[in-house]
Amino acid sequence: RIIKKKKSKEEYLQALPGSVSDISNIYKPDDYDSSGCPTVPIAFSGMMGRLGNVMCVYSNFIALQWKLGFKYFLPQYMNHHTEKDITKPYFQSIFKNVSFPTATWTNVTTIARNAEDNDLVLFNNSRTNYKEVTCNKHFHRVKHLQPTITDQLTCAKNNECLGKNCLACKGSCLCTNVWVTQAGGANYLDLPFVGDVLEDIIKHHLQFREEIVDSAVQVIGDVARNISADDDTLFVGVHVRRSDFSLYSKFWMDNLLNETFFEAAMDHFRNKHSKVAFLVVTDDIPWCKTHLTSADTHHVGTPSPEVDMAIMANCNGSIIDYGTFGMWGAILAGGETVTSRQTFRDVRWAADYFGWTYV
């Protein structure tokens, strides 16, 4: 019997559609000249963070194209699993219908961070013979998406060119290439800008691949069978973010949230529903197993962040503390979301926008 060697994560990502050598790295050939340089205004950004952050960048830039007509490019390399992950294959290993061209820039460091003032954007596609070329493009450089996108949205509305190529604004609005030079300049979900198209972004660009959904559904199904769940059982995804998060949360709070918050949030659901199952995913399993011990609490986290998010997405409600991972799990799940009054930044913005419950 021949035993096939299992592919490594790196080999798996490289084999997926979307690598540098795949399908030309162009999308819409009419947007390029014969040498591979874009002929339409583009928007580009660096990127940093983990799955939740890169989903934010992707969503912001899809909305930027849909509303203001800038063709969006994401960085060829992202700061994630390895020092130089290739962005598109990583996305395509998680989501269906991933469609974006990529670019990079000169002097990019091993871990892609911020671009410097003298750096140039580099394009790489079939028409450049997969060589990195600058195309001599001028860019309007900004450190953060805001306030540029809000200013341009207002301009487009006033000039009746919203949802069209910015050239339709006939010079009244910004219509040059835009480059967000800070790696964290677009890694949050700008809900006032994205919110009214977020449902379509999720529908067309953020659908998990079948194998990820199957793994998540199996986990939930195992719990359902163990507790003899019925139609009245409410499954609540619980995301507990700890590990290194104290390095970031210290700017907003002295200590990470403890079991007091999570039990209060669980009580909120228990008081409203006769039968609840709490499915805990986390980056700190030992802490959760020590501190979250109620009989209706199930520790179901997997080694796969994308499967953990899909577990949350397939629940009926959510409990989250902070961070973009839990935020996206709650958004994808829909239903009621409970968070802490002490939460900050991304989750607070989302909670206020969607009307989530604070405890």
Side-chain angles (χ1 to χ4, degrees):
R1 187 165 65 95
I2 298 175
I3 300 175
K4 292 184 178 180
K5 181 182 178 182
K6 186 177 180 181
K7 288 185 177 180
S8 68
K9 178 74 171 179
E10 290 75 16
E11 290 172 327
Y12 173 64
L13 292 178
Q14 290 286 355
L16 286 170
S19 61
V20 176
S21 60
D22 139 272
I23 59 172
S24 75
N25 195 30
I26 283 182
Y27 297 98
K28 293 191 69 174
D30 290 346
D31 291 345
Y32 299 79
D33 63 22
S34 60
S35 63
C37 294
T39 57
V40 295
I42 74 163
F44 177 61
S45 176
M47 193 159 59
M48 66 181 293
R50 301 177 184 175
L51 179 57
N53 290 120
V54 298
M55 290 171 68
C56 291
V57 178
Y58 190 25
S59 299
N60 287 334
F61 274 72
I62 293 171
L64 187 61
Q65 177 165 305
W66 287 359
K67 291 188 171 187
L68 299 178
F70 291 85
K71 183 182 180 74
Y72 63 89
F73 282 72
L74 294 189
Q76 183 177 350
Y77 299 106
M78 55 182 283
N79 173 30
H80 190 61
H81 285 121
T82 64
E83 289 185 334
K84 254 196 172 181
D85 276 313
I86 303 178
T87 305
K88 197 166 12 176
Y90 172 70
F91 266 100
Q92 291 187 320
S93 74
I94 300 173
F95 300 111
K96 300 181 290 186
N97 302 326
V98 170
S99 58
F100 55 83
T102 60
T104 187
W105 63 92
T106 54
N107 302 311
V108 63
T109 55
T110 304
I111 298 180
R113 292 285 189 179
N114 303 333
E116 302 299 332
D117 292 342
N118 60 341
D119 284 334
L120 300 172
V121 173
L122 300 172
F123 299 93
N124 178 329
N125 55 60
S126 58
R127 294 186 186 177
T128 70
N129 292 319
Y130 300 107
K131 296 178 181 178
E132 295 178 345
V133 299
T134 66
C135 292
N136 296 315
K137 292 290 182 181
H138 169 74
F139 282 86
H140 176 69
R141 298 175 182 234
V142 295
K143 291 184 177 180
H144 300 278
L145 277 176
Q146 291 291 8
T148 300
I149 56 173
T150 294
D151 292 344
Q152 296 310 305
L153 185 65
T154 301
C155 184
K157 289 178 179 177
N158 291 341
N159 288 275
E160 299 182 351
C161 52
L162 183 65
K164 302 176 182 178
N165 188 301
C166 60
L167 295 171
C169 301
K170 299 178 179 179
S172 299
C173 305
L174 178 70
C175 199
T176 187
N177 305 300
V178 176
W179 184 2
V180 180
T181 59
Q182 300 295 299
N187 73 339
Y188 58 92
L189 188 62
D190 197 305
L191 282 165
F193 183 76
V194 175
D196 60 344
V197 294
L198 182 58
E199 184 176 346
D200 285 332
I201 291 173
I202 292 170
K203 178 181 178 181
H204 296 293
H205 293 274
L206 296 177
Q207 295 294 311
F208 289 109
R209 295 175 65 91
E210 282 82 0
E211 59 268 26
I212 292 174
V213 175
D214 290 346
S215 296
V217 169
Q218 181 177 342
V219 169
I220 298 171
D222 289 344
V223 173
R225 285 186 288 273
N226 288 338
I227 65 173
S228 299
D230 54 33
D231 291 342
D232 294 326
T233 304
L234 187 82
F235 289 90
V236 177
V238 183
H239 183 243
V240 181
R241 176 75 163 91
R242 295 186 66 82
S243 88
D244 63 343
F245 204 70
S246 59
L247 299 174
Y248 310 105
S249 61
K250 64 184 179 182
F251 299 107
W252 291 275
M253 56 197 304
D254 293 333
N255 299 294
L256 295 176
L257 294 171
N258 59 25
E259 63 270 26
T260 302
F261 157 68
F262 290 102
E263 286 298 336
M266 291 176 182
D267 284 342
H268 174 85
F269 283 105
R270 292 175 181 128
N271 292 335
K272 295 177 65 176
H273 304 276
S274 59
K275 193 171 183 180
V276 187
F278 299 101
L279 308 187
V280 179
V281 297
T282 181
D283 59 356
D284 193 343
I285 293 174
W287 186 93
C288 290
K289 288 187 174 181
T290 299
H291 294 88
L292 304 178
T293 57
S294 301
D296 55 5
T297 302
H298 309 271
H299 301 280
V300 298
T302 72
S304 166
E306 46 268 31
V307 171
D308 283 357
M309 186 179 287
I311 290 170
M312 293 190 70
N314 281 276
C315 286
N316 311 114
S318 306
I319 295 172
I320 61 174
D321 41 19
Y322 20 61
T324 55
F325 185 98
M327 179 196 74
W328 273 110
I331 290 172
L332 296 175
E336 184 175 11
T337 296
V338 176
T339 190
S340 169
R341 292 187 180 93
Q342 298 180 61
T343 197
F344 51 89
R345 223 186 92 117
D346 305 271
V347 171
R348 178 166 294 280
W349 297 335
D352 291 343
Y353 183 86
F354 291 113
W356 290 346
T357 302
Y358 287 108
V359 298

